[in-house]
């Protein structure tokens, strides 16, 4: 603690919870109301992806489905973004998905 600032170091997700501060001097002790602290951590990397596509025929839209694995289990604070580029036309499509790294792109 330095001045009015309190720094908490080396926290992990398991450190999330209710915290309160207290101070004592010759006049007595003061205690703050509890405040919930949510510790967020860096998301884990996507470890592998598998893509499958439909082949509807020339001139028709193609559906591309991409499923990825991220370790460890999903956390509600994470989201995933897929960026797909058509190398022939340069068209880029982006999708964002909460919770699961599963995407479907059409066209």
């Amino acid at each position: 603690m330095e001045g009015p600032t309190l720094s908490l170091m080396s926290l992990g997700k398991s450190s999330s919870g209710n915290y309160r501060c207290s101070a004592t001097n010759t006049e007595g002790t003061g205690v703050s109301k509890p405040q919930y602290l949510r510790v967020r951590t860096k998301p884990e990397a996507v470890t592998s992806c598998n893509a499958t596509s439909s082949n509807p025929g020339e001139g028709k839209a193609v559906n591309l489905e991409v499923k990825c694995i991220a370790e460890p289990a999903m956390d509600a604070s994470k989201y995933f973004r897929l960026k797909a580029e058509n190398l022939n036309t340069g068209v880029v499509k982006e999708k964002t998905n909460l919770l699961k790294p599963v995407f479907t792109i059409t066209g």
Side-chain angles (χ1 to χ4, degrees):
M1 184 165 177
E2 186 177 316
T5 302
L6 174 65
S7 297
L8 303 173
M9 309 299 278
S10 301
L11 298 177
K13 281 186 176 185
S14 63
S15 300
S16 293
N18 287 306
Y19 287 78
R20 66 177 169 211
C21 295
S22 66
T24 303
N25 63 16
T26 57
E27 299 296 317
T29 299
V31 179
S32 70
K33 291 182 180 179
Q35 181 67 41
Y36 185 79
L37 174 69
R38 180 179 176 197
V39 178
R40 295 182 179 190
T41 60
K42 182 178 178 182
E44 290 75 21
V46 173
T47 57
S48 66
C49 293
N50 188 11
T52 57
S53 64
S54 64
N55 190 1
E58 192 173 325
K60 295 186 179 179
V62 173
N63 291 329
L64 175 66
E65 183 177 78
V66 179
K67 293 182 181 181
C68 301
I69 298 172
E71 297 294 339
M74 299 294 99
D75 177 306
S77 66
K78 296 177 188 171
Y79 70 94
F80 298 88
R81 180 176 296 133
L82 175 73
K83 182 176 179 181
E85 178 181 0
N86 182 323
L87 298 178
N88 294 325
T89 64
V91 173
V92 175
K93 292 194 175 195
E94 292 190 48
K95 293 273 188 162
T96 300
N97 194 353
L98 296 174
L99 303 180
K100 293 182 180 180
V102 177
F103 306 90
T104 300
I105 294 179
T106 302

